[in-house]
């Protein structure tokens, strides 16, 4: 079963998520994966569709939501590896990220996965930030 989104193109259903692999979005340089969560058998959830639109329209605000958690990941990283650039504040990290994946429940609840330019070349980890109730207070390191 497929659903066609005006901007993301063809989405496919997996469990209750409508997914698009390797799509171009206006707020990322590279192709990413997008998942619109909690949909029905025929279409994505309206909350997820609206959430995606909000994220697209408010990308700088999204980055500011995750910057503290990104800095929390960065701080021990800079101590462990030579040659990692020094960022004095969480806001200084912004611009060093590469978006990989976005899973949207609604505008206040989503997961967003990045790699950072300052990560070691051999480091395959991706960092997922969890925005819940409009706040990001957790991240995981995947890979």
């Amino acid at each position: 079963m497929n659903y066609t989104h005006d901007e993301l193109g063809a989405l496919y259903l997996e469990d209750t998520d409508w997914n698009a692999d390797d799509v171009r979005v206006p707020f990322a340089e590279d192709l990413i994966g997008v998942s619109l969560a909690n949909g029905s058998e025929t279409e994505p959830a309206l909350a997820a569709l609206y959430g995606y639109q909000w994220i697209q329209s408010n990308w700088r605000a999204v980055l500011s939501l995750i910057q503290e958690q990104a800095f929390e990941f960065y701080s021990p990283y800079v101590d462990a590896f030579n040659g990692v650039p020094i960022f004095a504040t969480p806001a200084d990290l912004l611009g060093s990220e590469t978006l990989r994946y976005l899973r949207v429940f609604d505008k206040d609840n989503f997961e967003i996965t990045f790699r950072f330019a300052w990560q070691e070349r051999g480091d395959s980890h991706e960092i997922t930030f969890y925005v819940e109730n409009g706040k990001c207070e957790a991240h995981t390191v995947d890979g």
Side-chain angles (χ1 to χ4, degrees):
M1 179 159 278
N2 286 330
Y3 173 88
T4 302
H5 185 272
D6 290 340
E7 296 165 13
L8 300 174
L11 304 175
Y12 62 91
L13 181 62
E14 188 173 323
D15 295 323
T16 61
D17 289 0
W18 285 92
N19 303 295
D21 301 324
D22 299 324
V23 295
R24 185 151 315 278
V25 296
F27 46 92
E29 290 183 30
D30 299 326
L31 299 176
I32 68 166
V34 176
S35 183
L36 303 176
N38 295 333
S40 71
E41 290 184 7
T42 58
E43 62 189 5
L46 287 177
L49 288 166
Y50 176 73
Y52 173 80
Q53 286 305 121
W54 184 88
I55 289 167
Q56 179 176 308
S57 298
N58 296 281
W59 185 245
R60 295 304 295 171
V62 169
L63 291 177
S64 69
L65 286 173
I66 64 101
Q67 71 186 9
E68 295 290 333
Q69 283 294 310
F71 200 75
E72 193 172 299
F73 169 72
Y74 162 80
S75 294
Y77 200 96
V78 73
D79 292 336
F81 297 99
N82 292 327
V84 176
I86 304 299
F87 298 108
T89 68
D92 293 341
L93 283 173
L94 299 182
S96 68
E97 72 283 340
T98 300
L99 181 61
R100 298 296 184 123
Y101 176 74
L102 175 64
R103 183 175 187 215
V104 183
F105 295 89
D106 59 51
K107 77 175 200 67
D108 293 319
N109 297 283
F110 53 90
E111 301 169 7
I112 190 164
T113 302
F114 293 103
R115 274 198 44 84
F116 292 93
W118 40 264
Q119 287 179 251
E120 290 286 302
R121 185 177 300 255
D123 179 355
S124 62
H125 292 105
E126 295 181 335
I127 300 79
T128 300
F129 300 92
Y130 302 92
V131 175
E132 297 175 343
N133 300 317
K135 297 179 182 174
C136 182
E137 297 177 350
H139 71 275
T140 58
V141 180
D142 313 312

